[in-house]
Amino acid sequence: MRRSTSRRDRGSDRPRRSRNPSDRLFRGATLGFALAILGLALLVAWQLFIHSKLSREQFGWSFLWTQTWDPVAGQFGALPFIYGTLVTSVLALVIAVPLGLGTALFLAELAPPRLSQWLAFMVELLAAIPSVIYGLVGIFIVVPWVRVHLEPALSGTLGFLPLFRGAPYGVGFLTAGLILAVMVVPFITSVSREVLLAVPRVQREAALALGATRWEMLRMAVLPYARSGIAGSILLALARALGETMAVTMVIGNKPQIAASLFEPGYTMPAVLANEFTEATDDLYLHALIEIGLVLFVVTVLINGIARLMLMRLAVPAGPVKR
Amino acid sequence: MRARPYALRKATNAVALGLTGAAAALTLGILFAILAYIAANGASALNWDFFTKLPAPVGETGGGLANAIVGTLKLLLLASAIGIPVGFLGGVYLAEFGHGRTGFVVRYASDVLNGVPSIVIGIVAYTLIVLPMKQFSSLAGGVALGIIMIPTVVRSTEELLKLVPSNVREAALALGVNEWKTVLFVVIPTALRGVLAGVLLSLARVAGETAPLLFTALSNRYWSHGWLEPTASLPVMVYTYAIAPYDDWHRQAWAGALVLITMVLGVNILARLGVSRRASAS
């Protein structure tokens, strides 16, 4: 989770390549393992691609915007799952971004350094808790709470919005989004904290010297500087949320429908894989499920790729000023 | 920008900073609430039978998850056998020789793998092993977990080896030590504690993985023999028991969660205390 910011210190002055045969053997061996990792990434893509062939050929691109999911009739469209995945992930970010960024600001700017390190460690523990445990807490504690307290309160106050209408089931988009939010907060907090800590001190001092209050300093001098890194951390969190399986499967209700209300049960791409994969009775059904996996793979690779680039680019202009 | 009264600016400052504090308090509060719920529900459910007995027949109460605990250990063993050598040596390459384009591409591939949802890795293990062998097995589950381990081991190994100052390498090379001996006997031992901590952390991470096991290792209410039978595992049992309609199963799910989380948090705290602060990369 923690990633290095500037790693370009060595390289220009490293020793010249050794011609010694045992050195070349060692280098070759480690290179072999490194290439195996590359091969593995390609293998993952290839396996998903060839094992979704039947479904891709039969449904083409319409797989992505067809709403029917009928294994008996052999009709497969992924739209309800894509919809559920998007709604829960966006909801998670709506909650997690202010929470995670606020926490990061507190840890990076207000807490004393030693305390900050320990608190950051504890926030990262949230990411270490296995997803099935979030699901367990979700089923037995969050779902009843949402049903009895949160949903009636929301429909009482914001019920004029279609988002907050309908019967309070407890299971559904809202609960899934809440739990996902908690699960991705550590990704936003720990990366953003590092990015904030990497903002040069002069940047802050300049703002303070001009008479800015601490908050104005953060808003005008620090946050704009850290913007792309923070955006990167949010994208990383989004990729996590899209692929999260167990916790969501356990609380979303698993009903393939597209509903305007967040109180309604829904379904997500990882959840349908978790529930139906072992039940796939014929090849077309199996290939349709694997195609959902392929979609998930492509989307998370793209989002992660962009996030890495944003975080990488950040490392370049950061000057020699260190905190 | 128009000048605003100082009092207002100070008030904004106090409110905004107060909100960041509130966010931090809420985040940590959620962590403690989760831990407290698991401790409270799990402790009352945990007993000796949990560790020593097989699951009771459906409908009866009692029994334990001994087979799931052994199953998880077996899966972790196999995952380590795949994830540690590949991840470690790949990490050595990136740290010591990966300055060029190959290094960049491999690092990127490893990051991509790290971002792939674990259930997708489960699908790949399914197509690679379960489909050809027509059999759910510990082997398939272990391979899935091994693949998931690789990128985290790569990253922590690389970061920790790079923390070893280049002076140390240069000193060894200047004494006429071969490059490979320098790496193997000078650089790696210097970073060993951290590397081990990184490996432990990645094991802790895959120990709680459920999704990739659902259709690779599947589950089993009995002992699993050898590597070619389906096996129970702690996370999958927690899942199965949590969504089942029996109160006694719910009780055991909480007990399983307590065991899992004790293991995961224990490793995290150990790694944190035992090594430098860099080691918490996961």
Side-chain angles (χ1 to χ4, degrees):
Chain A
M1 190 143 66
R2 196 186 298 275
R3 57 194 42 74
S4 60
T5 39
S6 76
R7 287 292 181 207
R8 291 163 183 273
D9 45 347
R10 284 192 298 120
S12 56
D13 58 345
R14 86 194 128 99
R16 282 181 47 189
R17 289 192 171 199
S18 162
R19 295 247 177 91
N20 183 315
S22 59
D23 281 350
R24 284 167 58 182
L25 189 68
F26 179 70
R27 186 191 290 260
T30 60
L31 176 65
F33 280 96
L35 292 178
I37 295 164
L38 179 61
L40 191 60
L42 297 174
L43 181 70
V44 168
W46 174 247
Q47 287 290 326
L48 293 171
F49 189 73
I50 55 164
H51 286 281
S52 57
K53 181 163 170 279
L54 293 179
S55 164
R56 278 186 292 107
E57 283 175 354
Q58 180 137 1
F59 306 114
W61 290 102
S62 74
F63 184 76
L64 297 178
W65 55 79
T66 309
Q67 213 180 322
T68 336
W69 182 266
D70 186 350
V72 181
Q75 279 303 316
F76 298 101
L79 191 62
F81 312 114
I82 296 174
Y83 175 81
T85 304
L86 286 179
V87 169
T88 51
S89 302
V90 168
L91 184 60
L93 284 188
V94 167
I95 302 164
V97 168
L99 191 59
L101 199 54
T103 307
L105 279 169
F106 178 79
L107 294 182
E109 307 293 336
L110 296 179
R114 280 196 67 81
L115 180 68
S116 166
Q117 270 183 34
W118 274 100
L119 295 183
F121 167 67
M122 287 202 272
V123 173
E124 284 178 20
L125 281 185
L126 275 177
I129 296 177
S131 128
V132 69
I133 290 184
Y134 278 103
L136 185 71
V137 172
I139 289 184
F140 293 109
I141 289 152
V142 184
V143 167
W145 178 76
V146 167
R147 184 171 53 225
V148 178
H149 298 290
L150 186 64
E151 287 184 341
L154 280 175
S155 61
T157 51
L158 298 166
F160 56 90
L161 294 170
L163 284 179
F164 303 113
R165 275 185 208 152
Y169 291 109
V171 295
F173 296 115
L174 182 64
T175 311
L178 280 177
I179 291 177
L180 273 179
V182 175
M183 297 181 76
V184 300
V185 155
F187 291 86
I188 297 179
T189 299
S190 80
V191 178
S192 296
R193 173 177 168 268
E194 299 243 321
V195 170
L196 288 172
L197 288 177
V199 173
R201 179 167 226 155
V202 285
Q203 194 83 358
R204 295 153 206 275
E205 284 167 357
L208 290 176
L210 289 172
T213 64
R214 209 154 178 186
W215 171 247
E216 286 165 346
M217 176 267 285
L218 289 178
R219 197 165 55 83
M220 296 174 190
V222 175
L223 284 177
Y225 192 95
R227 199 168 32 199
S228 94
I230 290 170
S233 82
I234 293 172
L235 283 181
L236 285 180
L238 175 63
R240 283 284 149 177
L242 293 174
E244 181 43 52
T245 310
M246 299 317 298
V248 174
T249 310
M250 291 163 88
V251 300
I252 197 167
N254 297 333
K255 188 175 174 192
Q257 63 165 354
I258 294 179
S261 171
L262 296 179
F263 296 0
E264 288 286 323
Y267 224 149
T268 66
M269 291 194 272
V272 71
L273 292 172
N275 280 321
E276 298 191 3
F277 209 88
T278 50
E279 293 165 13
T281 36
D282 58 280
D283 282 350
L284 181 64
Y285 191 4
L286 185 67
H287 281 223
L289 285 169
I290 295 178
E291 186 171 358
I292 289 185
L294 178 66
V295 174
L296 210 50
F297 174 79
V298 171
V299 172
T300 49
V301 165
L302 283 179
I303 294 178
N304 272 303
I306 298 170
R308 300 283 169 202
L309 287 178
M310 294 180 95
L311 290 167
M312 223 185 279
R313 213 181 46 178
L314 189 82
V316 182
V321 189
K322 284 199 179 128
R323 269 163 66 91
Chain B
M1 192 168 144
R2 210 182 301 151
R4 294 193 301 158
Y6 185 53
L8 183 64
R9 289 173 50 209
K10 265 179 76 171
T12 316
N13 181 48
V15 170
L17 296 184
L19 283 177
T20 68
L26 182 57
T27 306
L28 293 168
I30 292 170
L31 172 70
F32 288 122
I34 293 172
L35 296 182
Y37 274 120
I38 293 165
N41 287 307
S44 61
L46 207 55
N47 54 26
W48 191 240
D49 281 356
F50 182 86
F51 295 100
T52 55
K53 293 206 171 146
L54 280 178
V58 178
E60 288 179 25
T61 57
L65 289 177
N67 60 339
I69 294 171
V70 173
T72 285
L73 293 178
K74 269 170 79 175
L75 290 170
L76 289 180
L77 187 69
L78 187 55
S80 311
I82 296 164
I84 295 176
V86 179
F88 177 71
L89 288 167
V92 169
Y93 175 81
L94 289 183
E96 300 298 324
F97 315 116
H99 312 285
R101 190 173 297 162
T102 319
F104 177 83
V105 172
V106 169
R107 202 169 288 121
Y108 210 83
S110 167
D111 282 346
V112 162
L113 269 184
N114 195 25
V116 174
S118 60
I119 194 154
V120 173
I121 302 292
I123 296 179
V124 172
Y126 176 89
T127 59
L128 284 175
I129 296 169
V130 177
L131 269 188
M133 295 177 73
K134 298 190 171 30
Q135 158 111 287
F136 297 104
S137 62
S138 322
L139 177 69
V143 167
L145 295 187
I147 297 176
I148 293 169
M149 264 184 91
I150 290 173
T152 56
V153 178
V154 167
R155 179 162 284 284
S156 66
T157 305
E158 185 194 358
E159 295 220 337
L160 285 152
L161 291 186
K162 278 185 165 176
L163 285 183
V164 176
S166 11
N167 308 3
V168 175
R169 291 182 185 79
E170 283 156 15
L173 292 172
L175 290 172
V177 181
N178 282 348
E179 198 175 28
W180 71 274
K181 283 184 180 160
T182 307
V183 174
L184 224 49
F185 299 115
V186 178
V187 178
I188 291 174
T190 316
L192 196 60
R193 277 165 70 102
V195 171
L196 282 179
V199 167
L200 271 181
L201 283 172
S202 70
L203 265 177
R205 179 186 156 190
V206 295
E209 282 288 357
T210 315
L213 298 178
L214 290 173
F215 37 79
T216 51
L218 207 69
S219 193
N220 195 338
R221 296 191 64 79
Y222 306 96
W223 294 106
S224 156
H225 305 281
W227 297 98
L228 299 180
E229 289 181 10
T231 181
S233 60
L234 217 39
V236 174
M237 286 311 247
V238 170
Y239 169 62
T240 326
Y241 277 17
I243 60 171
Y246 313 111
D247 282 341
D248 193 54
W249 284 20
H250 295 165
R251 180 185 66 79
Q252 296 201 33
W254 283 107
L258 180 62
V259 171
L260 259 184
I261 204 144
T262 309
M263 199 163 72
V264 169
L265 294 191
V267 167
N268 271 275
I269 291 167
L270 261 183
R272 177 75 181 189
L273 292 178
V275 228
S276 67
R277 58 173 217 93
R278 270 281 151 199
S280 64
S282 60

